[in-house]
Amino acid sequence: MEVFVAALADLADRERRVIEVHGVEIGVFRLGDTVVAYRNRCPHQGGPVCQGRLMPKVEEPLAADGSALGLRFSEDVVHLVCPWHGYEFVLSSGEHPGAPDLRLRRYRTELRDGQVYVHV
Ligand code: FES
C-alpha cells in the first residue's frame, strides 16, 4: 500500500514527519534529495526512536602512528538518537553503528512528481 507523506519541497533537509498507518507509526526523514522511512519503534526496548534527536556522528581520527587526534563531528553522517536510552542509528541506513544486525525496520520510499510516498 502506498501512503502519501508530503511534498518534498515542504520538508527541509533533515526534517521529519511521523505518520500513522493502521496503528503503526512511521518516521519519514528527508536527507538531501532522498527520503528514508523507519518504524517508530526502537529495536532495544520499543522506544519512539523516530522522535529522537539528530546528531552528527562523533569520530575520532587517528594519526599515522595510531595516536588519537581528538573527537570531531562528522560532516556527512547523521545519527538518530533514541530518546529512551540513547541508542544511535545511522539515519541513512537505520543500522546501529557498532552492531549492524541491530537496525530499524525500514520502509520503501518513493519520490514521484515532487511528492513523497511510503510503501507499507
Ligand atoms: S528503547 Fe531505544 S534505546 Fe532503549
Side-chain angles (χ1 to χ4, degrees):
M1 180 174 99
E2 176 183 278
V3 178
F4 171 74
V5 178
L8 185 64
D10 290 340
L11 290 171
D13 190 22
R14 299 183 183 179
E15 187 177 348
R16 80 193 76 180
R17 293 276 194 283
V18 178
I19 62 172
E20 185 176 328
V21 182
H22 299 309
V24 176
E25 291 186 354
I26 299 170
V28 184
F29 300 81
R30 178 173 180 171
L31 273 178
D33 292 331
T34 63
V35 176
V36 292
Y38 302 105
R39 185 173 182 192
N40 190 21
R41 180 177 167 78
C42 181
H44 177 224
Q45 290 184 357
V49 62
C50 292
Q51 288 155 287
R53 286 179 180 249
L54 295 177
M55 300 281 296
K57 175 186 176 190
V58 176
E59 302 173 329
E60 187 169 22
L62 301 176
D65 67 358
S67 61
L69 296 173
L71 301 176
R72 70 177 183 200
F73 287 122
S74 169
E75 295 180 8
D76 306 319
V77 181
V78 178
H79 284 181
L80 174 60
V81 184
C82 181
W84 279 12
H85 312 102
Y87 275 39
E88 297 187 23
F89 300 90
V90 179
L91 188 59
S92 61
S93 69
E95 293 178 354
H96 186 284
D101 288 348
L102 191 64
R103 61 177 59 217
L104 304 178
R105 163 86 160 84
R106 188 169 184 159
Y107 293 88
R108 185 166 70 88
T109 58
E110 184 177 350
L111 290 172
R112 195 172 66 242
D113 300 327
Q115 312 291 303
V116 177
Y117 299 89
V118 174
H119 292 263
V120 295

